[in-house]
Amino acid sequence: VVRLVESGGALVQPGGSLTLSCEASGFIFSNFAMSWVRQAPGRKLEWVSGINNRGDSTDYEDFVKGRFTISRDDSKNTLYLHMTGLEVDDTAMYYCMKGVYNRGYFNTFGTQHERGQGTQVTVSA
């Protein structure tokens, strides 16, 4: 059974930093691209960032470029999202998603891919 467990969300002030983690099990983690997606209250799920299965190629949505960094540690079956320069608009539930690399694929097939239960990030003064 595929299991994705996100952690690391918190309440932070604007300009602050957080690192999210996603522990994966139930599948061969190193075989799959992974993404972070998020959903703010009243808004639809949106893709944030993706990394290929080898970890040597990453992609970011424009609104997080230069602020967020996605990475993976296949020895720990864990995906990370290091977030800096957090803004109020980054407030959302963040999910990791198996098998998705970029926005185009997510927009077409995202609903067919597993994601975890999420971790809440709240950016507020």
Side-chain angles (χ1 to χ4, degrees), residues 25-77:
S25 60
F27 64 102
I28 302 174
F29 183 70
S30 59
N31 283 358
F32 289 88
M34 298 291 295
S35 277
W36 287 97
V37 299
R38 71 186 187 185
Q39 188 166 25
R43 301 187 64 175
K44 63 180 182 179
L45 193 67
E46 62 183 1
W47 178 81
V48 174
S49 178
I51 187 167
N52 70 350
N53 65 306
R54 296 182 302 276
D56 60 5
S57 181
T58 58
D59 198 10
Y60 298 92
E61 187 58 89
D62 286 346
F63 52 70
V64 303
K65 276 182 181 176
R67 300 190 298 125
F68 291 9
T69 303
I70 190 171
S71 62
R72 63 191 298 159
D73 184 340
D74 289 351
S75 70
K76 297 181 179 178
N77 286 354

Side-chain angles (χ1 to χ4, degrees), residues 3-8 19-25 27 29 34-36 71-73 76-81 94-98 114-119:
R3 191 159 184 250
L4 300 167
V5 180
E6 301 92 341
S7 62
T19 297
L20 307 182
S21 300
C22 169
E23 293 186 31
S25 60
F27 64 102
F29 183 70
M34 298 291 295
S35 277
W36 287 97
S71 62
R72 63 191 298 159
D73 184 340
K76 297 181 179 178
N77 286 354
T78 301
L79 178 73
Y80 301 99
L81 185 68
Y94 284 73
Y95 305 88
C96 61
M97 181 172 277
K98 169 180 172 278
E114 290 114 332
R115 56 185 166 107
Q117 294 300 304
T119 187

Side-chain angles (χ1 to χ4, degrees), residues 98-116:
K98 169 180 172 278
V100 174
Y101 173 65
N102 59 29
R103 179 189 346 117
Y105 187 88
F106 168 78
N107 286 344
T108 304
F109 300 107
T111 57
Q112 302 176 24
H113 288 258
E114 290 114 332
R115 56 185 166 107

